[in-house]
Amino acid sequence: QERPDTACPLESAADLTNLLATRGYDRTRRPPCTNGTLQGPTLVEVQLYLAKVNTIDQKKGTATVNGYFRSWWNDPGLKFDCPAKDSVCPSELSFQGDDASKLWKPDLYFDNLVEKIGASGFASLFQVDCNGNVWSSEQVLLKVKFPLYLGALPYDEHIAEIVVASYSLDTSQIRLVPRGGSLGDGASGKGIVAPQLTSVFWAFPSDMKEDPSEGFDTPG
């Protein structure tokens, strides 16, 4: 009796890259909107996992934070045959280094950025599943500018926003929403998530979850 063929159609990011070359995939062409056409904007979800607030400069109105900037979108051009549930074949492929540069990515930037501090060894991940869902995550160290109103000292409260935007695409071509959020005016989804943060100088929100020790999240 012959042994069944257990070879996977795609086993690595390189396999998908080769498949895309046969399809004529164009990384400069943005994915369609949710109705499958280019008549509407591409939807991209964004979120910052805030690992630490490094410094807050009251004189300059800046904050330096580090964490992981994440984004999600769907690109139908990246779909491949999903393996069976009991298969050992991968349903998700991870891209490293230059391989990810061969795929479309939203050109996102931080609008109120003062400085994006680079460091060797910063982690990054770019993952694609068989349904064309893409997840990108990169470790970041950011210094951002925000207004400080000190008139209510010593009982003052401040909101340090981190504003994300697209560099070259307007809202007719791309729409950014917080993770799990919805289009339209008002706050929704989770724009920033964080573990429990403590400081001898600053009080962080404690009423955003039933158990403050678990950290907090803020809508986008």
Side-chain angles (χ1 to χ4, degrees):
Q1 184 177 2
E2 290 187 4
R3 185 177 178 179
D5 183 9
T6 58
C8 300
L10 294 181
E11 295 184 335
S12 67
D15 291 338
L16 179 56
T17 301
N18 293 334
L19 177 62
L20 297 179
T22 66
R23 294 177 178 174
Y25 178 84
D26 183 359
R27 69 177 183 85
T28 65
R29 184 178 175 84
R30 67 178 177 88
C33 64
T34 52
N35 66 8
T37 73
L38 289 174
Q39 300 305 311
T42 302
L43 183 65
V44 178
E45 295 181 279
V46 295
Q47 184 182 82
L48 177 69
Y49 178 86
L50 183 63
K52 184 178 181 181
V53 178
N54 295 37
T55 60
I56 296 177
D57 190 321
Q58 292 176 270
K59 291 183 178 180
K60 296 181 179 179
T62 62
T64 303
V65 301
N66 73 63
Y68 297 88
F69 179 61
R70 304 163 172 171
S71 53
W72 296 260
W73 65 92
N74 180 268
D75 188 343
L78 302 180
K79 288 183 178 181
F80 57 93
D81 292 337
C82 291
K85 291 184 178 180
D86 57 349
S87 173
V88 297
C89 296
S91 61
E92 298 176 335
L93 302 173
S94 296
F95 287 72
Q96 302 292 336
D98 292 339
D99 288 338
S101 66
K102 300 174 183 177
L103 309 181
W104 182 88
K105 291 186 289 185
D107 56 344
L108 305 181
Y109 75 103
F110 300 97
D111 189 58
N112 59 331
L113 184 70
V114 175
E115 182 181 7
K116 185 175 182 180
I117 306 165
S120 60
F122 270 21
S124 64
L125 177 65
F126 194 90
Q127 198 169 70
V128 179
D129 74 10
C130 59
N131 293 307
N133 296 311
V134 184
W135 174 44
S136 174
S137 177
E138 63 171 318
Q139 189 176 9
V140 292
L141 180 57
L142 309 172
K143 180 186 287 187
V144 295
K145 181 78 173 178
F146 65 97
L148 282 170
Y149 303 105
L150 305 177
L153 277 171
Y155 304 106
D156 50 317
E157 296 183 359
H158 310 280
I159 298 177
E161 292 183 334
I162 298 177
V163 183
V164 181
S166 170
Y167 186 77
S168 64
L169 302 177
D170 61 26
T171 55
S172 69
Q173 298 173 295
I174 189 171
R175 293 298 297 272
L176 304 181
V177 297
R179 179 63 169 165
S182 57
L183 294 174
D185 296 331
S188 67
K190 294 182 178 181
I192 294 179
V193 295
Q196 182 186 19
L197 299 176
T198 60
S199 171
V200 295
F201 301 107
W202 300 88
F204 294 96
S206 60
D207 57 349
M208 293 188 178
K209 285 188 175 181
E210 294 180 3
D211 183 0
S213 66
E214 295 181 357
F216 64 89
D217 55 65
T218 65

